[in-house]
């Protein structure tokens, strides 16, 4: 049985400017976001992800196309008429109100009974683990605590969809990682559909049920994090999601002939004689004995230590750059030197060929 659709964009276009100066922030975008999922719009600045979020929120109207919420057309419905809430980069908390009053503010504006407002605010603060902060002013809270208050306030009216526009960008690295786990917990416990916008690959991979990768106003690929990472559909997705080695090659009967001359494993079903771009992730690159069958010779150019692993940057005979992500061990197995000649192999099944 297929999962119900919470939000759908159909052929959404958003253009700014006129004539020769027109810019298509969204260029014929269609996507279905399922009920109760954590869906992330991922891409670089200016790719259209926030514009799509604003169309769903009602802060912008599309130039053409349709926005639907649970099958109902909401394209031109005002923001206050949509059962949707938004958490922005700036939390926009009210400094003159207590934490509990901030959380209950939206319910107050809806004219809910005072007892309901108080009970809901207490429940939301328990959900975000801030019960003890209820009577404090928001100015007395840390950045992470303020972010939790903003989330609690947005969740209090029980929206059908919660939109999150890079809400973790102002937090330091450690707190950001903690809040990634916290956000996913909140989404799971509430069952509310979350649509999260970010340019951070780790955030997207960590939290999402599915990811929509965007570039130049278009959706490049939509799928679960593992599919996006292991089976990118084009060069942009492959390069934007994590580190990737790109290798020029020609398809032969026995495999892929690299531009450096070596023969490596090829995916099945490729037409012989075809020139392709092969890709392989750095963690699938292995250093091996030069006598091993299928070994590719390389020269170490640089080593960068990251604690848990070490990145080894190498060049093949023709100058093609290859990076290997090597597990760092106590015995210093990854201690290689610049200019050292090594041999490498790609893990079985790790080489893919891009269509573009």
């Amino acid at each position: 049985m297929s999962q119900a659709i919470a939000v759908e964009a159909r052929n959404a276009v958003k253009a700014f400017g006129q004539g020769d100066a027109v810019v298509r922030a969204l260029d014929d975008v269609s996507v279905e976001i399922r009920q109760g999922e954590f869906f992330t719009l991922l891409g670089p600045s200016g790719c259209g992800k926030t514009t799509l979020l604003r169309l769903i929120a009602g802060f912008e109207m599309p130039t053409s196309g349709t926005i639907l919420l649970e099958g109902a057309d909401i394209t031109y419905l005002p923001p206050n008429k949509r059962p949707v809430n938004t958490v922005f980069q700036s939390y926009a908390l009210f400094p003159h109100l207590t934490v509990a009053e901030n959380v209950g503010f939206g319910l107050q504006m809806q004219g809910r009974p005072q007892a309901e407002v108080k009970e809901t605010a207490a429940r939301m603060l328990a959900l975000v683990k801030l019960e003890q902060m209820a009577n404090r002013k928001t100015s007395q809270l840390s950045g992470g605590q303020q972010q939790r208050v903003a989330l609690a306030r947005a969740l209090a009216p029980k929206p059908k969809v919660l939109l999150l526009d890079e809400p973790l960008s102002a937090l330091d690295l450690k707190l950001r990682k903690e809040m990634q786990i916290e956000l996913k917990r909140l989404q799971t416990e509430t069952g509310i559909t979350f649509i999260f916008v970010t340019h951070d690959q780790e955030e997207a991979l960590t939290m999402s049920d599915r990811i929509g990768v965007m570039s130049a106003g278009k959706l490049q690929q939509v799928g679960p994090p593992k599919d996006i990472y292991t089976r990118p559909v084009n060069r942009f997705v492959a390069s934007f999601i994590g580190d990737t080695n790109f290798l020029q090659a020609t398809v032969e009967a026995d495999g892929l002939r690299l531009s450096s001359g070596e023969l490596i494993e090829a995916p099945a079903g490729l037409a012989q004689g075809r020139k392709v771009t092969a890709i392989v992730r750095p963690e699938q690159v292995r250093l091996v004995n030069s006598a091993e069958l299928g070994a590719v010779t390389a020269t170490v150019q640089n080593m960068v230590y990251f604690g848990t692993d070490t990145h080894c940057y190498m060049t093949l005979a023709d100058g093609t750059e290859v990076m290997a992500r090597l597990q760092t061990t106590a015995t210093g197995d990854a201690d290689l030197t610049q200019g050292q000649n090594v041999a490498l192999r790609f893990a079985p099944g790790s080489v893919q060929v891009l269509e573009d």
Side-chain angles (χ1 to χ4, degrees):
M1 186 175 180
S2 60
Q3 193 171 350
I5 303 303
V7 176
E8 182 180 0
R10 292 181 183 170
N11 307 110
V13 173
K14 181 62 180 179
F16 295 97
Q18 294 180 340
D20 295 338
V22 69
V23 174
R24 283 197 168 204
L26 286 180
D27 191 0
D28 195 26
V29 170
S30 294
V31 63
E32 294 181 346
I33 298 169
R34 301 164 186 159
Q35 283 188 358
E37 79 170 334
F38 197 121
F39 188 92
T40 296
L41 292 167
L42 173 68
S45 298
C47 71
K49 57 188 187 295
T50 296
T51 301
L52 180 55
L53 200 77
R54 291 177 64 82
L55 261 59
I56 296 169
F59 301 140
E60 299 277 0
M61 299 295 116
T63 304
S64 61
T66 307
I67 305 295
L68 298 102
L69 178 66
E70 296 183 344
D73 189 340
I74 61 167
T75 308
Y76 300 106
L77 199 66
N80 64 323
K81 300 295 184 181
R82 304 184 186 204
V84 173
N85 265 354
T86 306
V87 177
F88 299 99
Q89 294 179 39
S90 172
Y91 309 138
L93 300 176
F94 301 113
H96 63 288
L97 300 181
T98 66
V99 167
E101 289 168 343
N102 265 277
V103 173
F105 182 80
L107 300 175
Q108 292 273 21
M109 293 298 98
Q110 293 176 357
R112 303 282 185 90
Q114 190 61 35
E116 179 187 345
V117 173
K118 186 175 180 180
E119 189 275 331
T120 302
R123 191 172 68 253
M124 290 300 104
L125 286 175
L127 186 66
V128 298
K129 301 178 181 178
L130 286 179
E131 307 100 305
Q132 306 304 318
M133 306 289 183
N135 296 317
R136 290 193 185 184
K137 298 293 187 182
T138 57
S139 59
Q140 297 174 304
L141 304 182
S142 67
Q145 290 168 337
Q146 289 182 16
Q147 207 253 14
R148 285 184 169 90
V149 175
L151 282 167
R153 183 178 62 184
L155 290 168
K158 295 184 180 177
K160 291 183 177 180
V161 178
L162 184 65
L163 309 176
L164 302 109
D165 188 7
E166 303 202 49
L168 308 184
S169 60
L171 305 179
D172 62 57
L173 179 60
K174 184 178 180 181
L175 186 54
R176 196 158 67 240
K177 289 179 178 292
E178 291 175 359
M179 285 308 302
Q180 289 170 14
I181 298 170
E182 191 72 7
L183 273 178
K184 183 57 182 174
R185 179 186 68 81
L186 288 171
Q187 190 273 324
T188 301
E189 289 188 13
T190 61
I192 293 172
T193 303
F194 277 28
I195 305 177
F196 186 88
V197 162
T198 185
H199 62 272
D200 189 299
Q201 310 152 29
E202 183 180 303
E203 285 183 359
L205 293 170
T206 300
M207 297 185 291
S208 311
D209 296 312
R210 289 191 304 148
I211 299 171
V213 183
M214 296 193 69
S215 175
K218 292 181 177 291
L219 269 170
Q220 303 294 319
Q221 185 173 356
V222 176
K226 186 175 180 180
D227 288 353
I228 296 287
Y229 185 80
T230 60
R231 292 192 291 276
V233 297
N234 58 36
R235 190 181 184 99
F236 174 81
V237 176
S239 60
F240 191 77
I241 306 293
D243 297 311
T244 309
N245 294 305
F246 295 91
L247 307 164
Q248 300 308 308
T250 302
V251 182
E252 296 187 358
D254 298 328
L256 296 177
R257 181 70 64 182
L258 298 179
S259 57
S260 57
E262 291 91 351
L263 192 69
I264 64 170
E265 177 191 37
L270 299 178
Q272 289 188 44
R274 178 182 168 195
K275 293 188 180 300
V276 298
T277 299
I279 63 169
V280 62
R281 295 292 187 180
E283 62 270 20
Q284 302 297 336
V285 181
R286 310 279 191 263
L287 295 186
V288 297
N289 190 294
S290 59
E292 187 170 320
L293 184 65
V296 177
T297 58
T299 303
V300 175
Q301 299 298 325
N302 194 19
M303 300 288 291
V304 181
Y305 177 72
F306 282 90
T308 57
D309 54 40
T310 298
H311 294 186
C312 178
Y313 296 88
M314 300 165 282
T315 54
L316 305 186
D318 67 337
T320 298
E321 296 180 352
V322 174
M323 192 261 275
R325 187 176 289 120
L326 309 175
Q327 189 72 32
T328 303
T329 67
T331 56
D333 293 344
D335 290 338
L336 302 173
T337 58
Q338 186 175 9
Q340 182 177 344
N341 292 324
V342 295
L344 59 87
R345 284 196 66 183
F346 305 124
S350 65
V351 177
Q352 300 176 64
V353 169
L354 295 178
E355 293 299 323
D356 59 342

